[in-house]
Amino acid sequence: MRTNHRIAAVLFLALPLFSCQPPREQRAEFFVFGTLVEIVLRGVDENSASAAFADVQRHLQAMHNELHAWKPGALTQLNQAFAEGRSMNLDNDIPTLIEMSRTMEDATDGMFNAATGGLVRAWGFHTSEYPVKTPPPSKDEIRRILSTKPSTMSIHQEGNVLTSTDPTVQLDFGGIAKGFATDRIISVLVHEHGISEALVNAGGDLFALGGSDEHPWLVGINGPEGVIGGLEIQTGAVFTSGSSERYLEQEDSRYPHIIDPRTGEPVTGLMSVTVIDDRRFRSKGWFADAAATALMVAGPESWRELAEKLELESVLVVNSYGEVLMTAGMEKRLLPAP
Ligand code: AMP
Ligand code: MG
């Protein structure tokens, strides 16, 4: 394994966040999915925290290898099989992610579409190096990829055997994998380590668990130009999708890494979307993550309508003029930036 595939872990004790009787916190950081993932635990001793962090690291490494869209692994093999019209037997998380992606493709009228990996690659976004400087794909290339309307609905599963009836289906879980990973980590912490208070923060995309009225988790909402405001979360997900860091640059134009599956072109109109999903036991990182990506596609005209359809009360967007707009639910809870 090459060193850049490895996840670096740093363990250290937290400084108190609250002045009144702070809960004792244990922290660790891991570099994975191109992001720093920070885990904060409350109410556990150092030894239990170390054991939990070691387990988390193992799971993160496995998900990183399994779900990577362009480094050779399970997903690239599956995409190769689809392209060649072959079936593939898989016993890992990919079938679950396909199921979740399908749910979100359906719920967003195709604005979230994990089968458009061919377009993501054609636009040069299968890279860790930003900004991308390669030329945009030709109109013909985009038309060719879109001609079959690639969709996760073309994937069929029998037991662990996956087949796509459309060879242009190329899976890319970039819009949902971080959410899936936060859910997995929370589940490992709860079910394998008996932890009931934790924060998993993947570069501003996060899942908080077990905060209380007295000690909620305090998190910041990031906009294109820094922190927009703060939030108190007890249990739930906060995910932001945006175009400020990952884009293709050509002369004076910037093309963000989120593609409108209907046109094959990168989205325009919104710079970022933040979604809170803290409906308690119903809240899921994968849902919030995919919803934020879909709302970027919905754009300035339709984001409110899609948020309503997805039953998301708290959504904040920054439009291309830098204006911050939000739902009434978000307005009620947004705290001033620290
Ligand atoms: P996020 O930062 O969660 O919005 O995810 C963006 C990533 O999702 C991109 O880098 C692509 O890998 C992938 N992606 C781009 N457009 C879409 C889309 N319309 N639906 C689903 N995934 C997408
Ligand atoms: Mg997303």
Side-chain angles (χ1 to χ4, degrees):
M1 185 177 296
R2 294 205 307 265
T3 43
N4 63 347
H5 282 214
R6 299 251 299 279
I7 302 169
V10 189
L11 307 183
F12 55 91
L13 263 178
L15 290 172
L17 283 175
F18 296 88
S19 51
C20 58
Q21 292 287 309
R24 198 174 143 78
E25 295 182 345
Q26 312 273 350
R27 293 177 181 233
E29 287 179 350
F30 308 87
F31 192 74
V32 65
F33 301 128
T35 320
L36 201 61
V37 179
E38 180 193 34
I39 319 271
V40 186
L41 307 178
R42 287 182 185 163
V44 286
D45 62 37
E46 236 175 295
N47 288 343
S48 318
S50 297
F53 291 145
D55 233 5
V56 164
Q57 176 157 17
R58 202 168 48 75
H59 281 276
L60 282 171
Q61 181 74 67
M63 286 184 277
H64 181 86
N65 295 341
E66 203 170 284
L67 303 177
H68 211 290
W70 67 92
K71 286 185 182 146
L75 189 60
T76 57
Q77 283 170 23
L78 180 64
N79 281 334
Q80 186 70 29
F82 286 168
E84 293 169 7
R86 284 186 285 113
S87 299
M88 193 170 156
N89 196 326
L90 275 183
D91 183 15
N92 59 20
D93 291 325
I94 291 176
T96 310
L97 269 148
I98 293 174
E99 216 33 66
M100 292 168 173
S101 299
R102 224 180 243 161
T103 302
M104 294 312 289
E105 190 178 322
D106 187 44
T108 63
D109 297 325
M111 287 183 251
F112 182 87
N113 185 345
T116 50
L119 288 167
V120 179
R121 182 178 22 203
W123 279 95
F125 298 130
H126 279 173
T127 178
S128 316
E129 308 284 319
Y130 284 92
V132 171
K133 297 282 189 183
T134 48
S138 67
K139 299 279 176 217
D140 273 356
E141 170 75 347
I142 294 174
R143 226 174 287 132
R144 186 189 64 76
I145 299 172
L146 282 182
S147 64
T148 58
K149 295 199 168 57
S151 161
T152 51
M153 309 300 168
S154 300
I155 301 169
H156 302 280
Q157 189 178 351
E158 270 189 59
N160 288 334
V161 179
L162 294 170
T163 316
S164 172
T165 49
D166 174 1
T168 51
V169 164
Q170 293 284 284
L171 290 168
D172 179 319
F173 295 125
I176 194 169
K178 242 198 240 180
F180 177 81
T182 60
D183 295 339
R184 168 63 52 80
I185 295 167
I186 291 286
S187 163
V188 167
L189 294 174
V190 171
H191 299 295
E192 292 172 31
H193 296 273
I195 291 167
S196 54
E197 281 184 79
L199 180 75
V200 180
N201 181 356
D205 290 332
L206 58 93
F207 199 99
L209 176 79
S212 58
D213 281 345
E214 201 185 355
H215 290 297
W217 294 100
L218 285 176
V219 302
I221 294 191
N222 291 322
E225 286 173 14
V227 180
I228 293 178
L231 291 169
E232 291 187 353
I233 301 279
Q234 298 193 0
T235 290
V238 182
F239 275 75
T240 298
S241 219
S243 58
S244 60
E245 282 165 24
R246 300 185 177 195
Y247 53 86
L248 178 150
E249 196 168 51
Q250 282 287 302
E251 289 151 19
D252 293 340
S253 305
R254 278 188 180 188
Y255 302 90
H257 67 134
I258 297 161
I259 314 268
D260 186 333
R262 300 164 297 190
T263 60
E265 306 274 341
V267 299
T268 52
L270 294 181
M271 286 206 282
S272 76
V273 171
T274 299
V275 161
I276 308 177
D277 180 11
D278 58 351
R279 296 171 289 183
R280 291 265 152 190
F281 301 109
R282 281 211 290 151
S283 53
K284 290 284 174 225
W286 63 265
F287 176 82
D289 190 353
T293 306
L295 287 161
M296 281 292 290
V297 177
E301 287 83 35
S302 316
W303 70 269
R304 283 183 193 272
E305 194 186 324
L306 182 58
E308 221 160 277
K309 185 166 184 240
L310 297 174
E311 296 178 28
L312 288 166
E313 281 174 18
S314 303
V315 176
L316 176 151
V317 310
V318 181
N319 68 18
S320 48
Y321 306 106
E323 291 168 323
V324 179
L325 309 168
M326 63 191 95
T327 57
M330 182 67 97
E331 216 159 306
K332 271 191 226 143
R333 55 192 301 181
L334 193 69
L335 306 169

